[in-house]
Amino acid sequence: MSLQDRLDAFKADFEGNKAPPEVVAVMRRATADLIASGKATRALKAGDRAPAFALADQDGVTRNLTELLAQGPLVLSFYRGVWCPYCNLELEALQATAAKIRSMGSNLVAISPQTAPNSRKAQKDHGLSFPVLSDPGNELANRFGLRFQLPADLAAIYKQFGIDLSQFNGDTSQTLPMPARYVVDRAGVIQYAEVNPDYTRRPDPDELFPVLERIR
């Protein structure tokens, strides 16, 4: 089963059996508004230079772009957080391909606005073999063009589900990154970019392999 098939199955069950219609309506409207804003079309694309960064991983170790690229091309996965089931399905799909990514001479890191303890939980719960970096306030996501403000009505619904972003992320900005996946070559140039304002849509990790083969 492809990653998107798994995402679609979860969405159908959630919207059909678990969430009240009024909740589904708010979620769908927020996604439609983000799509209509055109923000995703203005995010960094293939051919752009990746912004430099130095972010702490789940264990407090600082990982910077220069050192990571010295080891080979880099796959970056921006995701919303450990609380997001769609993101967790994507992380599991990336983990299933992590060994092949490394065998092609590349590395993989995930980036979210959540705090280190939540990144450790994500790594433990999903058996991740790659670092999960914390991006406080979505500052790096903003430099990639991914950060957006969560609508107040959607933030209130998240709280009803026990998702308080101020606690998960350790800040009060109420911002999130649009899910995105990038491949950055050793020169720091983006060779692949996939950004989707609909968080229920994610590309299969297999799409990375032709790009990684080309730049290995």
Side-chain angles (χ1 to χ4, degrees):
M1 181 181 292
S2 71
L3 171 59
Q4 193 57 56
D5 287 340
R6 296 177 68 197
L7 296 171
D8 290 344
F10 179 88
K11 181 179 180 180
D13 180 56
F14 177 76
E15 293 188 350
N17 302 314
K18 296 178 180 177
E22 59 272 19
V23 167
V24 174
V26 170
M27 291 179 167
R28 288 181 175 177
R29 183 171 64 250
T31 298
D33 288 347
L34 185 56
I35 293 170
S37 75
K39 190 170 183 63
T41 66
R42 299 188 291 274
L44 293 188
K45 301 175 177 63
D48 291 331
R49 182 162 292 277
F53 64 79
L55 300 176
D57 68 13
Q58 68 285 342
D59 299 316
V61 177
T62 298
R63 311 283 185 130
N64 70 67
L65 181 63
T66 301
E67 292 175 350
L68 289 167
L69 291 180
Q71 303 169 24
L74 183 64
V75 177
L76 298 174
S77 176
F78 285 87
Y79 79 104
R80 291 154 29 113
V82 69
W83 52 269
C84 173
Y86 298 94
C87 297
N88 291 331
L89 288 171
E90 180 181 20
L91 289 178
E92 291 172 1
L94 287 170
Q95 175 57 32
T97 59
K100 184 169 182 178
I101 289 172
R102 287 190 287 268
S103 76
M104 300 176 78
S106 297
N107 285 307
L108 166 65
V109 298
I111 301 172
S112 87
Q114 68 195 1
T115 60
N118 287 306
S119 293
R120 286 196 296 274
K121 176 175 172 55
Q123 196 174 55
K124 179 180 178 181
D125 288 354
H126 303 287
L128 305 182
S129 62
F130 51 86
V132 181
L133 310 185
S134 293
D135 179 22
N138 285 291
E139 291 299 328
L140 180 61
N142 187 49
R143 294 168 66 193
F144 273 85
L146 306 173
R147 184 173 68 183
F148 71 96
Q149 190 74 40
L150 195 69
D153 55 353
L154 185 54
I157 284 174
Y158 280 179
K159 280 192 174 183
Q160 292 176 17
F161 282 93
I163 303 166
D164 186 340
L165 292 183
S166 64
Q167 293 183 6
F168 276 98
N169 298 344
D171 73 73
T172 59
S173 67
Q174 295 295 305
T175 61
L176 288 174
M178 290 181 287
R181 200 179 298 161
Y182 289 94
V183 174
V184 183
D185 67 20
R186 296 188 70 163
V189 177
I190 296 170
Q191 296 293 329
Y192 169 96
E194 202 286 332
V195 181
N196 202 320
D198 182 349
Y199 61 90
T200 70
R201 307 292 301 175
R202 314 284 175 105
D204 199 275
D206 287 358
E207 291 187 14
L208 297 169
F209 299 150
V211 181
L212 298 180
E213 180 63 32
R214 175 171 56 84
I215 64 175
R216 66 186 305 177

